[in-house]
Amino acid sequence: MEALRREDPRRFGRFTVLARFHEAASAVQYVARDTDGDEIAVITAAHPGLAAVPAFRRRFQAEARTAERLAGGWVTPPLETGEDELLWTASEYVPALPLAEAIRIAGPLPERALRILGAGIAEILSRVHAGGSALQGLAPGTVLLAEDGPRLTAFGPLGAAAAAEAKPGGQLSVRLGYLTPEQVAGKEAGTASDLFVLGLLLAYAATGTTPFTEGPPEEAARRIAEAEPELDAVPEELRELIAGCLAKDPAERPTAGTVAAELALEGAAGLARGGWLPEPLAAAVAEQEARVRGLEGPVEGPEEADGSGDGEGSGTNGAGDAEGSGTTAPSDAERSGTNGSGSPQASSTNGPGDTGNNTLPASPAPEDARPDAEPEDARPTGTVAGAPADAVAGPPTGTLTGTPADVPAAPKPPTDPRIPLATTTAAAPAPSNTTDTGNGDIGEDRGTTRFLNTGPNPPQTDRTTAQFALPLPHQPPPPPAPHPGAQQSYPAPYAAPGQGHGNGGQGGSPMVALPLPPAPAPPAGPTAKRRTLIAVAAAAVGGLVVGGGSIAAISGGESVAATDDKPTPKPRRTLPGQPPEPRWAYSHPASESAPLTTALWRDRLLVVTSESQASAVDLRTGKRVWQRADAAKGQSALAAGDLCFVASPTEFLWLAPKDGAVVHRVRYADGFTDLPDLQVGRLAGHSGPVVYFTGSRTVTVKAPKPKKGKKKAPDKQVPEAYFFAYDIVRRTELWRTPVPAGRAPGTPLYRIVAERAADLLVRQDSVTLTAAEVKAAKGKGSVRSFDRTTGKLVWVKQYGTVTPDAGIAGDEGGTLYAAVGADLQAFEADTTKPLWRVAGTANSLFGSPLVAGPLLHTTERSQQVGAVDRESGRLVWRRSTEVPGIGSAPTLALSSSGKTLFASDATQVTAFSAADGERLWKFQDIGVADPKGATVSASYRAFAVGKNVVVQRDRAFYAFPVA
């Protein structure tokens, strides 16, 4: 923390600036106080010289939106965002130390603290990776240690940048501080790259140094790509996991969800209960908080902006209270990247594995969006992208050499355009209003927002060491002097190049100028609000999250269409493990009440009911075709001849599928005249044109005539309940049979668990059982058999220790499959004889299975999904959805072809091959992107229809093509 300088702003919106907190490569952080209260905030304000570059503004705003979407847990919720000339964000102040500073104060962290740190960061990465996007925001200065757990303060490469500088002609030079093996090889950073950096961070936190320190600095890139990490000092219990994160092959690294579960099965928050910081760090955090909250007003510095201040070091968002020398100039130790002892110093810009030579691309181009050949004006011809400045390209194979960067060898054109080389000179492209339609994209930043029906990404040539040129509509301001926060420090094992950036600095990283797409203009009006959905990419083997991009669906009750006049692009090729492009997306209007029920009518309509109305969406286009208030709170949407049947709380309705007009209606009071005041419950099921349901009414039972001299007892109000069969084509009741009344108000809720030729097997929902029934059952559930022709009750049976709310299903052959304790057991329905048993996973329970031909698909609360041979009980396959922890068992659905199994839970939808359990893809919708909007927490649902599956989460619906 230091005093304010003359050029520092004194106000950001409703916040009054109190002091400088930290200066990083791309922004300055200030401590500020809400002018309307005592709220302390940290303001992150972009450097003015960088904020003038449109490419920087887009990236800054994209990372701010990512922070908004990830808010909660280990991500501090943003308070306000300013997109005026200053370009800033405000977040709540959380007392915390950056990881690098914590290591300087107390040395390596103990094992329990390492587990909490790694699990917390992995939980954040798991949410980000759900969309196949890499975070690229991890560094010792962006990972903070707070009293209750870790925090992350950077949500993209800008936040974790080691250096950032505006160059003449609209160029933006941004460098990250680390390399991964795939980047050394000239490949793009992906989700697995974040796991490599997480491994570096955990090794650094466990040992106080990086795992690749042995050897000369000029061979750092080779060691990262080839050498095994030095992990002897890492606690033995964590060594294997960290080694897995540092695997050279990205496909061999664990997923973020796996890391989180292995480090803290109960979650980082659960493991951190009772405190987790060593005493010196807890004291340092408390001291920092006292100093920050003790600020009464702005702390002004001298008139000259000479950088002098309180003499304290740097950090991020509640971090950085290292005692300094009273000046902002870096010390010799800082410039060398050490604290005087050879260990990484407490800079927010470097971390374990920092190289200072990894330049930020505006957004990586996915594998499927790369052109066959790169544009001639953007083809690099010098140093291997992602390599240190002293590594110059050799043969076209991309072999690294030790030739100094300032004496470049004559390059040969690369035979593989995907292996980029860099040059030290490049010109900014001329402005153009045309779009390269080589692959039909609009050219937006990858990993932020993408609009449906606009095709795949453009042929971007950005690579991991790149400087970007952008045509500007006006002359940019002169390049500012390098910011103190942008000075890069280089911990071992990386050599420190010269302080110059781009092509001008001695020993600076070679750069290549690349065109950036113009910023997409936001649509006007109410459709400007976005929902962001994450397309989850999971490799078929091992659940590795790979590739993928983000998509945005516009709210307002309409499907999304392309917003320009370009020809409709060809659908992008689906990467292995990545969900197919949605055919359409529909968002239920926010002005209407939330959906209550959803059903499919034939292969034509998606019928959504709410408190106020029912509406129908065309399954071919995703457009809403009608609304009908009469069908509010309705359920099902069944085919009744050519009409759509809907059961509302008061009547049966037959609607015209074209416009929703009511063709027929049968009010319960009119259709069941001998049962006045009949209350109809939820449909128990249907078979062809016949629906089955329960209903009840309250009748008065007169008290018997009293004996002489006795007072007459009061009459009693007694519920009567019935089980009905009703033909919705002929609109005729087929039969009814009396059944025991349920818990008040009296209607028992039935669910058909199996249909046989002669009878229906039915179970009552446990919530409608009366107290007397629960007591009499002694904790066991019952199944009833009703004759399909007459409705007569045939028998009531119990099966082993199956509970009233256990998962259960049956088949047409008379076998019931039910959860018994932690296992799944098969019973002969008529005799209750046990047939076979399948053991479940530890500390878990089975949910309701799904019968599918010769297989029985299973689901467990441990997020395991599988298949069992129905005849023998042999386990065919079992796979995890990779959702960490124990929750509700995923709900299962099968595609119309029977080839794809969908498991839906509160976190995602996972698609498996039904035959062998191959994990095909995952899908998540992370909810409302508007920070003022409500966070969506509803569970997912999947509806198979024809060659599509419709995925629903609350108001959002997406139609995916499936096998």
Side-chain angles (χ1 to χ4, degrees):
M1 213 158 40
E2 66 176 75
L4 295 175
R5 302 178 186 175
R6 182 173 55 188
E7 70 272 17
D8 289 329
R10 267 47 179 179
R11 290 286 296 273
F12 289 94
R14 60 186 172 95
F15 298 98
T16 299
V17 179
L18 302 179
R20 270 182 167 244
F21 207 30
H22 163 67
E23 183 165 9
S26 62
V28 178
Q29 290 186 325
Y30 301 94
V31 179
R33 188 185 301 275
D34 186 350
T35 55
D36 299 328
D38 294 330
E39 184 176 34
I40 299 293
V42 173
I43 307 292
T44 301
H47 288 303
L50 298 175
V53 181
F56 179 92
R57 295 184 70 91
R58 287 203 305 275
R59 174 64 72 174
F60 186 95
Q61 292 161 353
E63 294 185 14
R65 290 193 297 269
T66 299
E68 292 170 358
R69 293 194 291 269
L70 294 175
W74 309 122
V75 176
T76 304
L79 300 174
E80 193 170 325
T81 300
E83 297 187 358
D84 49 22
E85 189 174 335
L86 294 177
L87 195 61
W88 57 274
T89 63
S91 60
E92 178 186 358
Y93 165 68
V94 175
L97 297 173
L99 175 60
E101 178 65 11
I103 299 301
R104 189 193 68 81
I105 293 174
L109 299 180
E111 181 187 338
R112 178 168 172 269
L114 287 171
R115 287 184 175 275
I116 295 168
L117 171 66
I121 300 305
E123 287 168 9
I124 300 173
L125 291 179
S126 181
R127 298 167 62 194
V128 176
H129 292 178
S133 299
L135 179 70
Q136 293 185 279
L138 298 182
T142 65
V143 174
L144 309 184
L145 312 186
E147 182 181 16
D148 58 347
R151 295 291 191 279
L152 184 62
T153 62
F155 305 98
L158 275 190
E165 186 177 356
K167 305 289 283 184
Q171 294 178 332
L172 174 64
S173 169
V174 180
R175 295 188 298 168
L176 292 180
Y178 54 80
L179 285 176
T180 62
E182 52 269 30
Q183 289 172 300
V184 171
K187 299 177 182 178
E188 298 165 355
T191 56
S193 302
D194 283 336
L195 271 299
F196 186 88
V197 182
L198 178 60
L200 290 174
L201 283 174
L202 290 177
Y204 169 63
T207 64
T209 187
T210 62
F212 295 103
T213 57
E214 194 66 34
E218 60 272 13
E219 296 182 4
R222 181 194 60 78
R223 291 198 300 276
I224 291 174
E226 301 174 6
E228 292 301 316
E230 178 55 56
L231 300 176
D232 290 346
V234 173
E236 184 177 356
E237 293 79 4
L238 303 179
R239 200 173 298 158
E240 183 178 354
L241 179 63
I242 294 177
C245 292
L246 296 175
K248 305 303 180 187
D249 184 354
E252 295 181 1
R253 297 171 199 157
T255 63
T258 298
V259 172
E262 290 196 22
L263 289 174
L265 186 60
E266 67 272 52
L271 189 57
R273 289 192 183 100
W276 73 294
L277 292 177
E279 183 58 34
L281 299 184
V285 170
E287 178 186 0
Q288 179 200 101
E289 180 178 18
R291 291 163 57 195
V292 169
R293 299 197 185 280
L295 295 172
E296 297 294 336
V299 181
E300 301 288 349
E303 279 295 311
E304 296 80 18
D306 59 1
S308 60
D310 291 347
E312 290 163 9
S314 64
T316 62
N317 191 8
D321 289 287
E323 299 296 337
S325 62
T327 174
T328 57
S331 65
D332 293 341
E334 289 170 332
R335 281 189 293 268
S336 66
T338 70
N339 59 12
S341 61
S343 62
Q345 54 94 25
S347 167
S348 65
T349 61
N350 77 324
D354 290 1
T355 67
N357 298 297
N358 183 14
T359 305
L360 164 70
S363 54
E367 198 71 34
D368 60 323
R370 290 176 181 158
D372 292 336
E374 299 197 11
E376 199 65 35
D377 61 349
R379 183 177 297 151
T381 57
T383 305
V384 175
D390 57 358
V392 176
T397 59
T399 305
L400 299 176
T401 70
T403 309
D406 54 353
V407 188
K412 297 179 181 180
T415 58
D416 186 348
R418 294 175 299 175
I419 302 178
L421 304 176
T423 182
T424 58
T425 58
S432 174
N433 295 326
T434 62
T435 302
D436 184 354
T437 59
N439 63 1
D441 207 330
I442 59 173
E444 80 289 0
D445 281 353
R446 177 74 166 176
T448 53
T449 302
R450 182 161 173 213
F451 300 99
L452 293 173
N453 300 332
T454 55
N457 273 1
Q460 298 181 18
T461 54
D462 326 16
R463 292 298 184 264
T464 52
T465 23
Q467 174 177 321
F468 308 110
L470 179 71
L472 298 179
H474 58 83
Q475 183 65 29
H483 302 293
Q487 294 293 332
Q488 172 67 43
S489 50
Y490 299 87
Y494 306 109
Q499 295 300 320
H501 295 283
N503 26 9
Q506 177 69 20
S509 299
M511 303 291 180
V512 59
L514 299 177
L516 280 177
T527 57
K529 291 187 178 180
R530 301 279 186 262
R531 288 185 58 90
T532 302
L533 53 101
I534 287 187
V536 180
V541 179
L544 171 69
V545 179
V546 298
S550 301
I551 307 168
I554 301 177
S555 63
E558 298 179 339
S559 61
V560 181
T563 56
D564 55 26
D565 296 326
K566 293 180 296 193
T568 302
K570 297 180 180 179
R572 64 183 175 92
R573 178 175 59 86
T574 301
L575 294 174
Q578 182 174 340
E581 286 278 1
R583 295 189 186 275
W584 51 258
Y586 166 77
S587 184
H588 195 69
S591 59
E592 301 176 12
S593 53
L596 294 176
T597 66
T598 304
L600 302 175
W601 184 79
R602 294 186 171 174
D603 289 347
R604 291 175 52 189
L605 296 179
L606 175 75
V607 179
V608 181
T609 67
S610 66
E611 291 283 350
S612 58
Q613 64 185 13
S615 54
V617 176
D618 191 321
L619 285 170
R620 296 166 300 175
T621 65
K623 294 183 179 295
R624 185 155 70 172
V625 292
W626 53 258
Q627 302 162 249
R628 179 61 56 182
D630 302 76
K633 302 181 184 179
Q635 54 177 315
S636 297
L638 306 176
D642 293 330
L643 301 178
C644 177
F645 169 84
V646 176
S648 82
T650 58
E651 59 188 346
F652 290 152
L653 295 171
W654 287 260
L655 309 177
K658 182 179 180 180
D659 56 11
V662 177
V663 179
H664 306 288
R665 74 170 77 228
V666 174
R667 293 182 175 89
Y668 304 143
D670 301 331
F672 306 93
T673 54
D674 59 332
L675 298 175
D677 302 320
L678 178 68
Q679 301 294 317
V680 173
R682 184 191 64 206
L683 296 186
H686 72 278
S687 178
V690 180
V691 295
Y692 303 95
F693 59 93
T694 52
S696 68
R697 64 172 185 145
T698 301
V699 298
T700 301
V701 177
K702 294 187 175 295
K705 185 177 181 180
K707 294 181 180 179
K708 187 176 182 180
K710 298 293 184 179
K711 187 177 180 181
K712 182 181 179 181
D715 296 340
K716 293 183 179 180
Q717 301 294 313
V718 178
E720 288 182 351
Y722 300 89
F723 186 37
F724 296 85
Y726 190 93
D727 189 315
I728 60 175
V729 172
R730 295 188 293 158
R731 302 193 297 281
T732 303
E733 178 185 343
L734 300 180
W735 49 256
R736 78 177 73 156
T737 188
V739 294
R743 187 186 298 271
T747 303
L749 296 181
Y750 285 0
R751 182 172 68 88
I752 297 177
V753 297
E755 296 181 36
R756 301 194 293 184
D759 63 351
L760 304 171
L761 303 186
V762 175
R763 190 176 71 166
Q764 184 175 344
D765 283 5
S766 60
V767 294
T768 64
L769 293 171
T770 64
E773 288 174 321
V774 173
K775 183 177 180 181
K778 297 180 180 181
K780 298 181 180 180
S782 300
V783 173
R784 293 179 170 91
S785 169
F786 293 93
D787 186 280
R788 294 188 70 163
T789 304
T790 64
K792 178 183 177 181
L793 179 65
V794 180
W795 48 251
V796 179
K797 296 183 183 294
Q798 295 177 325
Y799 298 86
T801 58
V802 176
T803 61
D805 54 358
I808 190 170
D811 61 27
E812 70 286 349
T815 303
L816 289 178
Y817 312 93
V820 180
D823 300 336
L824 182 70
Q825 195 164 355
F827 299 90
E828 194 173 84
D830 292 317
T831 66
T832 73
K833 175 185 175 181
L835 301 176
W836 49 255
R837 179 188 293 261
V838 173
T841 52
N843 303 317
S844 183
L845 295 174
F846 280 92
S848 294
L850 177 66
V851 177
L855 297 179
L856 178 75
H857 291 294
T858 62
T859 174
E860 300 179 59
R861 292 184 61 189
S862 59
Q863 311 307 306
Q864 298 286 326
V865 176
V868 174
D869 183 85
R870 284 170 50 190
E871 183 69 25
S872 64
R874 178 181 60 86
L875 183 64
V876 178
W877 59 264
R878 180 181 282 166
R879 300 284 186 274
S880 172
T881 64
E882 293 199 323
V883 174
I886 301 292
S888 299
T891 302
L892 302 180
L894 200 63
S895 66
S896 300
S897 67
K899 296 180 179 179
T900 307
L901 179 70
F902 303 97
S904 307
D905 53 43
T907 302
Q908 64 194 29
V909 173
T910 310
F912 298 89
S913 168
D916 57 13
E918 178 185 2
R919 193 181 293 104
L920 302 177
W921 49 262
K922 300 179 184 179
F923 172 80
Q924 283 185 342
D925 172 356
I926 64 173
V928 177
D930 184 353
K932 297 181 181 179
T935 300
V936 177
S937 58
S939 293
Y940 292 84
R941 299 178 67 194
F943 307 89
V945 51
K947 296 182 179 180
N948 299 311
V949 61
V950 176
V951 173
Q952 177 193 5
R953 192 186 189 203
D954 193 42
R955 296 176 180 271
F957 299 82
Y958 313 101
F960 295 98
V962 294

